[in-house]
Amino acid sequence: MNTYTALVSRDGRFWHADVPEIDRVTQARNLNEVDVMTRDLIAIMTGAEPDSFEVNVRIQLPDSVQAHLSEVERARDAEAAARSHAATELRAAATELKNAGLSVRELGSVLGISYQRASQLTSRSDSSNGRRRAS
């Protein structure tokens, strides 16, 4: 099955879809029409049925927008790393307090979490250290 690329960009009120493989451009009023309009163009230019090929739609955004989206991705990655670090530190604090003799109810109160969560945090550290928690 042939695959065509539609390089789509906004131009005024319309979306332009440039198909380099056939060196032609079509336009659509909205993004929902891009696939249909591109398939119609390719079918007319190649004689193929509109459902006999794939269309890879690639929306091209202005560089300034791409810069914002790159920053969003960086911030989300940093957020995920910070959440992971916070979880590791919370688990370590819970483990230290449990080893100091606090009950899971006391752990929950001290750490601002439910006693069930405190139990989860400390049981994970017990099993990850090769120790089994008594049932």
Side-chain angles (χ1 to χ4, degrees), residues 105-123:
R105 289 195 185 274
E106 291 172 326
L107 281 173
S109 294
V110 169
L111 298 176
I113 58 177
S114 69
Y115 76 89
Q116 296 94 334
R117 182 67 181 132
S119 179
Q120 288 174 337
L121 289 171
T122 55
S123 67

Side-chain angles (χ1 to χ4, degrees), residues 26-110:
T26 189
Q27 65 182 17
R29 289 176 290 181
N30 57 57
L31 280 175
N32 292 335
E33 292 181 348
V34 167
D35 186 67
V36 171
M37 297 302 288
T38 302
R39 285 182 181 281
D40 285 348
L41 174 67
I42 294 167
I44 289 167
M45 299 308 296
T46 64
E49 290 296 318
D51 59 351
S52 68
F53 51 84
E54 295 290 325
V55 176
N56 180 13
V57 175
R58 290 184 25 213
I59 299 173
Q60 299 180 309
L61 300 171
D63 290 341
S64 59
V65 173
Q66 277 303 135
H68 289 299
L69 294 176
S70 293
E71 183 60 21
V72 167
E73 186 175 341
R74 188 208 58 76
R76 285 181 176 160
D77 289 346
E79 175 189 28
R83 286 183 183 275
S84 176
H85 180 68
T88 299
E89 292 300 318
L90 182 60
R91 190 172 295 110
T95 300
E96 279 192 43
L97 290 172
K98 183 178 180 190
N99 291 341
L102 273 69
S103 71
V104 290
R105 289 195 185 274
E106 291 172 326
L107 281 173
S109 294
V110 169

